[in-house]
Amino acid sequence: MKEITASMAGTVLNVFVTVGAQVNPGQEVVMLESMKMEIPIESGIEGIVRAVKVSLGDFVNEGDVLLVLE
């Protein structure tokens, strides 16, 4: 299993993928808001989403797991 993590602390504004979705490198998977800026989180790896660990409005810290890929 591979994980996509938050690159910085922020609030989850949007999750662009669901369980079972194919993800490719460079694809935006989550949008965070931090310091009134939108921060796109891109996948650095290819895989299939097996778990979405966050919901809209959740606060995440840097390094928190957002998605689990297989």
Side-chain angles (χ1 to χ4, degrees):
M1 295 291 178
K2 307 167 200 167
E3 298 176 336
I4 297 176
T5 59
S7 57
M8 64 184 340
T11 302
V12 177
L13 283 182
N14 207 339
V15 179
F16 300 118
V17 295
T18 58
V19 172
Q22 174 69 39
V23 174
N24 297 304
Q27 180 179 341
E28 288 185 9
V29 292
V30 175
M31 183 69 69
L32 298 179
E33 179 184 33
S34 182
M35 299 181 294
K36 298 186 181 181
M37 293 175 37
E38 291 185 357
I39 311 297
I41 304 298
E42 296 179 350
S43 177
I45 53 179
E46 181 178 340
I48 296 173
V49 178
R50 290 298 171 215
V52 177
K53 299 289 191 175
V54 295
S55 298
L56 298 181
D58 286 354
F59 181 82
V60 296
N61 289 302
E62 182 177 349
D64 284 356
V65 176
L66 305 174
L67 304 170
V68 177
L69 304 183
E70 183 178 274

